Amino acid sequence: MTDPEKKPNPAFDELAALRREVNEFRKDFAKFNQELSLKIAFGVIGSVILCYFAIGLLSLVFGGGR
C-alpha cells in the first residue's frame, strides 16, 4: 500500500490567510487603541491646565488680586 500524494487543502490555506488577517487587525487595533488613549490623556491634561488658568484669570478679574 503506497501513500497517496498529499493534495493541498484549500480550506487550510484559507484558514491560514484568515489567521494572518486577524493578527494584522489585532496589531492595528492595538496601535489605534494606544493612540486613542494618548489623545484622551493629553486632552484631559490640557483641559485641567486650561481650567487652572481660567480660574486664575477669573479670580483676578473679579477681585482676587488685591
Side-chain angles (χ1 to χ4, degrees), residues 4 6 8 13 24-26 31 33 35 40 46 49 56 61 65-66:
K6 291 189 175 186
D13 294 338
E24 286 182 35
F25 174 77
R26 290 175 71 198
K31 182 179 176 185
N33 195 20
E35 290 175 1
I40 290 171
I49 292 171
V61 169
R66 295 182 184 171

Side-chain angles (χ1 to χ4, degrees), residues 8-22:
N9 190 342
F12 287 128
D13 294 338
E14 184 69 23
L15 283 174
L18 285 173
R19 185 174 181 171
R20 282 191 298 271
E21 287 181 26
V22 167

Side-chain angles (χ1 to χ4, degrees), residues 41-56:
F42 286 134
V44 168
I45 291 169
S47 297
V48 168
I49 292 171
L50 183 62
C51 287
Y52 177 77
F53 284 120
I55 290 170

Side-chain angles (χ1 to χ4, degrees), residues 26-39:
R26 290 175 71 198
K27 288 178 187 177
D28 291 344
F29 184 75
K31 182 179 176 185
F32 168 77
N33 195 20
Q34 182 180 15
E35 290 175 1
L36 183 62
S37 298
L38 285 174
K39 287 179 183 179

